[in-house]
Amino acid sequence: MSNSSISNSHDGIGKDVDHVDVTHLEKKPEVEPQFSPRDIQGRFDLLRDLGDAEMKTLDKRVLKKIDMRMMPAITLMFLMCYLDRINVSNARLGGMQEDLHMTDTIWNLGISAFYIGYLVGQLPGNLWLAKASPRWFLPCAMLGWSVCTICTPALKDGAGFAACRFFTGLAEAPFFPGITLMTSSWYTKQENPTRMAVWHAGNTISNIISGFLAAGILTTMSGVAGLHSWQWFFLIEGIASIAVALGALMLLPDYPHNTRFLTPAEREMAQYRVLCSNGGKEEGVGGTWDGVKEAVKDPFTWYFCLMHFALVTAQSFKDFFPSIVNTFDLGELTTYFIQAPPYAFAFAFACAVAWSSGRRQESFWHIVLPIVGSAVGCAVLISTTNVGARYFGLFLLISGTYNGLNLQLSWETTLVPAPRSKKAALIAIANCISQVSHWFSPYFWPRSQEPFYRLGGGLVLVGCLLVVVSAGLAKWRAAKLNRALDEAEGWSKQTGGTRGWRYVT
């Protein structure tokens, strides 16, 4: 992995930029011209004559504006998205399954129905977003799933539960890949891992908040206004989700070339930053189905499909996390509260590893070592009755899998930076295939497996193994393309000199 930078970069802008596009170089010997930051700067009328100090100042201003508006908005949206996804787990402890007269099989069918809807809406939603305005598209999707959440308390049976969860998944489908696409369209490959870790915190924080909400609502509001406590759980979360969606309409940017709260010079700087990070490749939208075709042809797509599928499989415990903690037999209130610390630790861990990955421009070991830790944690969880050891195993299990998912997202968008339609297709295809895991994984966690849930634990271990395999394949291909770039530039460790833009390994 190369961490080199060119001499005339602007404090990280244009780092690793001299570019020779060797996509499918093994099929065509010719290479495209190299691009330096000065070449890229010359494409923009308002940047062309700026000096290094002026470029640096403008870059900082743009980064601050985007951080202040986009990051809080998508972090809160993602938090509410995951609250909506996992609220049924705590509602189950609050008696939802019994009140709707559902067997374990019907309950798991409802859980799976969410992911069927999620799968159906994934690819068309993300391809639409590549051309649509994210400022409108993402909040509208959020309003859609919020309506489904508010309707949940009106359910009467398992069939209604399955139908409601299907439409909830359909509304949520474009959101997760959408904010991944949006983040990679605004931030450089050095900034991407940390920013994705920040909004991905919405995932971990939602698990923390869910436990406290469950403790506060499910244990105190039963019978209020004639409703079950789990019905209040959905109503309160749905109302909060609508409020966040309305706020996002005012905060979210569009894409770098057309965001209205940036000045013309700032819009050009936003485009320049990403161009340098992409090695001079224009992010332009491209034809929708052309992007799909290009993504399907790229081996990286299938490596990341396997990696994403493996990580989601390794995270199959999350829909049953409250039930796992409940096997510790520590009492109802304690069960709700002790769900928070493992997720809080996972968030801090993911941010630290993401910062290191972005700074070092290395992804493989930053994913693999923590996922090995997850496998160790899972093994502890399913092999001992000691509550302290099992609780420690949860820390390891959650930290490695959530860190891996975060870095996998930034790695795939760095290795396939443009055009936007291809990147959108890759993200959607990988996320789509990963959701297949949710069709079968709930059946690995029946209550009959308590307290160890060894069947589910075995599934998690298989997922961890596949993460290592797929990460190795992605690293191998990136290294192969880098060797082709070295040869095209005439660069070697022996001759030295400036090494240009390289694929992140």
Side-chain angles (χ1 to χ4, degrees), residues 9-80:
S9 65
H10 304 288
D11 275 17
I13 310 172
K15 198 174 190 179
D16 292 20
V17 173
D18 288 350
H19 176 61
V20 180
D21 184 1
V22 294
T23 305
H24 309 307
L25 185 61
E26 59 271 20
K27 295 182 179 179
K28 56 178 185 179
E30 67 274 8
V31 293
E32 296 180 4
Q34 296 185 18
F35 296 101
S36 72
R38 291 297 183 193
D39 293 332
I40 297 173
Q41 186 177 344
R43 302 181 190 180
F44 299 98
D45 294 337
L46 300 179
L47 304 184
R48 189 175 294 130
D49 299 323
L50 298 184
D52 286 358
E54 294 171 301
M55 291 288 285
K56 178 180 177 181
T57 300
L58 186 58
D59 171 59
K60 287 184 175 180
R61 189 162 73 238
V62 170
L63 185 60
K64 182 178 180 180
K65 279 191 175 183
I66 298 304
D67 278 344
M68 293 298 289
R69 293 181 68 110
M70 187 167 81
M71 296 310 298
I74 61 176
T75 300
L76 277 174
M77 293 173 79
F78 196 48
L79 186 155
M80 297 309 301

Side-chain angles (χ1 to χ4, degrees), residues 26 70 83 86 91 96 177 187 230 301 337 343 347 383 478 501:
E26 59 271 20
M70 187 167 81
L83 270 180
I86 66 174
M96 181 182 181
Y187 292 105
W230 62 264
T301 298
F337 281 134
Y343 284 104
F347 168 56
S383 62
W501 184 92

Side-chain angles (χ1 to χ4, degrees), residues 430-448:
N431 204 41
C432 186
I433 290 178
S434 73
Q435 301 312 304
V436 173
S437 173
H438 292 291
W439 292 4
F440 60 82
S441 61
Y443 301 99
F444 282 73
W445 301 89
R447 283 178 170 173
S448 61

Side-chain angles (χ1 to χ4, degrees), residues 258-483:
N258 65 348
T259 289
R260 291 179 294 177
F261 64 77
L262 297 180
T263 66
E266 288 169 346
R267 283 197 292 270
E268 289 195 356
M269 170 54 73
Q271 295 172 74
Y272 165 80
R273 286 162 32 83
V274 176
L275 262 177
C276 288
S277 179
N278 293 353
K281 287 183 179 179
E282 294 279 358
E283 197 190 37
V285 178
T288 299
W289 293 110
D290 289 338
V292 175
K293 291 176 184 176
E294 286 299 311
V296 169
K297 293 177 183 176
D298 194 328
F300 278 132
T301 298
W302 304 109
Y303 299 155
F304 284 107
C305 280
L306 176 59
M307 196 185 307
H308 203 158
F309 171 83
L311 283 162
V312 171
T313 299
Q315 285 187 335
S316 62
F317 64 86
K318 73 183 190 306
D319 287 324
F320 302 89
F321 186 69
S323 298
I324 295 172
V325 177
N326 197 41
T327 65
F328 294 174
D329 293 325
L330 298 176
E332 182 182 15
L333 198 61
T334 302
T335 295
Y336 290 134
F337 281 134
I338 67 171
Q339 294 177 41
Y343 284 104
F345 177 80
F347 168 56
F349 180 79
C351 286
V353 176
W355 176 84
S356 174
S357 176
R359 182 172 180 268
R360 298 174 182 275
Q361 287 297 280
E362 199 283 332
S363 295
F364 175 79
W365 291 111
H366 285 79
I367 291 174
V368 167
L369 292 180
I371 209 69
V372 171
S374 287
V376 172
C378 181
V380 170
L381 195 64
I382 65 176
S383 62
T384 180
T385 57
N386 184 282
V387 172
R390 298 186 77 206
Y391 193 49
F392 176 71
L394 286 178
F395 278 78
L396 293 177
L397 175 60
I398 294 170
S399 297
T401 54
Y402 277 82
N403 168 76
L405 185 57
N406 171 58
L407 290 186
Q408 173 258 322
L409 295 171
S410 66
W411 197 11
E412 71 184 14
T413 52
T414 296
L415 290 177
V416 184
R420 191 187 305 151
S421 60
K422 178 183 178 183
K423 181 166 59 174
L426 183 154
I427 296 168
I429 292 170
N431 204 41
C432 186
I433 290 178
S434 73
Q435 301 312 304
V436 173
S437 173
H438 292 291
W439 292 4
F440 60 82
S441 61
Y443 301 99
F444 282 73
W445 301 89
R447 283 178 170 173
S448 61
Q449 286 279 307
E450 292 180 351
F452 295 109
Y453 286 106
R454 284 176 175 147
L455 191 62
L459 184 65
V460 169
L461 291 173
V462 170
C464 291
L465 175 62
L466 291 177
V467 171
V468 175
V469 171
S470 54
L473 289 171
K475 178 181 174 65
W476 167 79
R477 177 163 173 78
K480 178 182 178 181
L481 294 175
N482 284 342
R483 287 194 295 271

Side-chain angles (χ1 to χ4, degrees), residues 153-344:
L155 298 178
K156 301 298 182 183
D157 53 33
F161 175 64
C164 186
R165 293 306 289 174
F166 172 83
F167 286 108
T168 304
L170 189 66
E172 280 191 24
F175 182 74
F176 178 71
I179 58 175
T180 303
L181 175 66
M182 200 173 172
T183 306
S184 66
S185 296
W186 277 102
Y187 292 105
T188 68
K189 63 180 182 178
Q190 288 79 21
E191 299 160 351
N192 235 345
T194 305
R195 275 20 180 233
M196 288 189 179
V198 168
W199 62 249
H200 206 255
N203 186 338
T204 53
I205 295 172
S206 67
N207 286 277
I208 297 172
I209 293 176
S210 183
F212 288 118
L213 283 176
I217 298 173
L218 297 180
T219 62
T220 63
M221 296 192 69
S222 180
V224 175
L227 298 177
H228 297 291
S229 58
W230 62 264
Q231 291 174 308
W232 280 111
F233 197 50
F234 287 106
L235 282 173
I236 291 171
E237 287 188 8
I239 292 169
S241 187
I242 289 174
V244 171
L246 294 176
L249 282 170
M250 296 181 285
L251 287 175
L252 283 180
D254 282 308
Y255 287 113
H257 70 282
N258 65 348
T259 289
R260 291 179 294 177
F261 64 77
L262 297 180
T263 66
E266 288 169 346
R267 283 197 292 270
E268 289 195 356
M269 170 54 73
Q271 295 172 74
Y272 165 80
R273 286 162 32 83
V274 176
L275 262 177
C276 288
S277 179
N278 293 353
K281 287 183 179 179
E282 294 279 358
E283 197 190 37
V285 178
T288 299
W289 293 110
D290 289 338
V292 175
K293 291 176 184 176
E294 286 299 311
V296 169
K297 293 177 183 176
D298 194 328
F300 278 132
T301 298
W302 304 109
Y303 299 155
F304 284 107
C305 280
L306 176 59
M307 196 185 307
H308 203 158
F309 171 83
L311 283 162
V312 171
T313 299
Q315 285 187 335
S316 62
F317 64 86
K318 73 183 190 306
D319 287 324
F320 302 89
F321 186 69
S323 298
I324 295 172
V325 177
N326 197 41
T327 65
F328 294 174
D329 293 325
L330 298 176
E332 182 182 15
L333 198 61
T334 302
T335 295
Y336 290 134
F337 281 134
I338 67 171
Q339 294 177 41
Y343 284 104

